Amino acid sequence: MVRTGFTPSRRSGSRPEFVRRLRATVRSTRFRVERAAAGRVSRAEPPLTPVHLSLRDSRTLNLALAAGGTEPPDRARLLITRGRRRITVPLAFEPHTAAAPLLTATATLRDMRDGVWRLTVETRGADGRVRRRGVAPAGDGAPATTPTAPYAPDPLTGTLVRIVRSRTGRAVLQATRPRPRAELVRFEPRGDGITVHGRLVGAALAPVCAEAVRRRDKVAVPADVGGTGGAFTLRVPLGAMTRAGAGQWVWDFRVAGLPLGRWLTDVRDPSAAYPTPFRVFALPEGSLVRAHAHFTRTGAFAVTCWDITDHTLQAAEETS
């Protein structure tokens, strides 16, 4: 088969495989060491079991603890620390008529560095005594399987923060910096084609290039793309994709060498959560293309397309 005008897909800026593996090994080792350090507990002061402990979108931490008395302490706060870095969040005393009083806090996590962060509850009683205790994870059972995952990356920065259990049973926060991503914001199917709007996350904000890559054999065709400040608009090259070979094929997309998709989400199966129909597009050059723009199970954006111009003309002639 002659592939005139089409070139195999290349990943711009990709590192050698052994370099990626070395970086991954170094990172995982560092995380294990930091989890061990952050999970240290005192035998005299075991971790507190929270009434509620959750993390939403890697940005909002919610904590509720039994107050352990009917009177509020002189001072109560949550310390989120990693080395010399510290985030201090006041704990509010909430009396309840139907239940025991609670100490509650809501913390907004921003610009967290890559690594493991220690959670410590610090209280000072009326006698001036200061106590510092860790926090245990909320609930020991396995989480129920739902359409959404328990944790999601920050939708703006891509940083993923999770509540993990250390070997000592103490809850710690593990922040992981994002890999460079081409994040799809939305796509618009119109009568003459498909336009994709997206943004680059954790990547250089220079002018970008884009291409459609046929999944079967990695044949690639360029796509028109433009934008500034990390945001981009891509025009799906349906005409070039159908001219690359007869038949119906699935195409994936790369922007600035990065796979395009909806990655910064907690949806487990985007293909089921965002179903889309097949459509027929009348391209400016006069051809008719039947295409299906959709998300895969992993969140990648893909387009299945087929030139039906000849079939449509033949069917029209047979009915005339």
Side-chain angles (χ1 to χ4, degrees):
M1 174 180 177
V2 179
R3 302 172 182 167
T4 305
F6 304 100
T7 58
S9 175
R10 294 170 54 188
R11 300 184 179 183
S12 60
S14 60
R15 299 187 181 94
E17 183 64 24
F18 78 92
V19 175
R20 289 196 295 270
R21 290 183 179 179
L22 179 60
R23 288 175 178 265
T25 301
V26 171
R27 169 185 276 190
S28 62
T29 302
R30 178 167 60 85
F31 278 153
R32 285 197 298 269
V33 172
E34 289 193 13
R35 278 198 299 268
R40 292 195 304 268
V41 297
S42 171
R43 294 182 179 179
E45 299 286 355
L48 297 167
T49 300
V51 176
H52 177 82
L53 177 61
S54 65
L55 185 60
R56 178 175 176 80
D57 290 343
S58 294
R59 294 186 297 184
T60 305
L61 179 70
N62 294 294
L63 173 66
L65 298 162
T70 58
E71 296 296 330
D74 280 3
R75 185 182 69 188
R77 58 184 185 175
L78 173 67
L79 306 178
I80 307 173
T81 58
R82 177 176 179 263
R84 297 183 178 180
R85 300 181 179 89
R86 171 183 289 192
I87 302 172
T88 303
V89 184
L91 285 166
F93 182 81
E94 295 188 8
H96 291 265
T97 57
L102 298 176
L103 292 174
T104 63
T106 298
T108 301
L109 308 178
R110 294 177 179 172
D111 302 325
M112 293 193 73
R113 298 289 186 91
D114 199 46
V116 179
W117 295 72
R118 185 181 180 94
L119 297 176
T120 305
V121 174
E122 181 185 87
T123 58
R124 184 176 64 192
D127 57 357
R129 180 188 177 190
V130 176
R131 302 179 66 186
R132 296 183 180 89
R133 301 178 66 178
V135 180
D140 296 327
T145 301
T146 63
T148 57
Y151 300 107
D154 186 312
L156 295 179
T157 66
T159 299
L160 177 64
V161 184
R162 298 180 296 129
I163 302 171
V164 299
R165 178 189 293 271
S166 67
R167 290 186 178 181
T168 58
R170 180 171 180 160
V172 296
L173 300 182
Q174 180 169 303
T176 307
R177 65 178 180 272
R179 293 175 297 171
R181 298 177 184 274
E183 177 73 7
L184 185 146
V185 176
R186 71 182 188 277
F187 65 89
E188 300 172 345
R190 301 182 181 275
D192 61 347
I194 304 170
T195 302
V196 175
H197 301 273
R199 60 192 179 92
L200 297 178
V201 179
L205 303 183
V208 297
C209 59
E211 60 184 0
V213 182
R214 191 160 62 188
R215 189 175 297 175
R216 178 190 64 164
D217 51 14
K218 306 305 178 185
V219 167
V221 298
D224 292 334
V225 64
T228 58
F232 63 84
T233 301
L234 180 150
R235 182 74 172 177
V236 175
L238 291 174
M241 290 158 60
T242 54
R243 288 194 299 270
Q248 178 172 278
W249 306 105
V250 181
W251 296 74
D252 300 301
F253 294 83
R254 302 186 70 84
V255 179
L258 303 171
L260 175 65
R262 182 161 290 174
W263 314 115
L264 306 182
T265 177
D266 61 353
V267 176
R268 292 185 187 274
D269 185 357
S271 64
Y274 313 116
T276 54
F278 278 83
R279 295 174 180 264
V280 175
F281 299 91
L283 303 188
E285 61 267 26
S287 59
L288 295 176
V289 175
R290 183 174 183 264
H292 180 211
H294 61 281
F295 294 103
T296 67
R297 186 177 180 86
T298 61
F301 176 70
V303 173
T304 303
C305 60
W306 178 31
D307 191 328
I308 60 171
T309 306
D310 294 340
H311 296 273
T312 304
L313 293 176
Q314 183 179 357
E317 292 174 356
E318 292 177 351
T319 56
S320 61

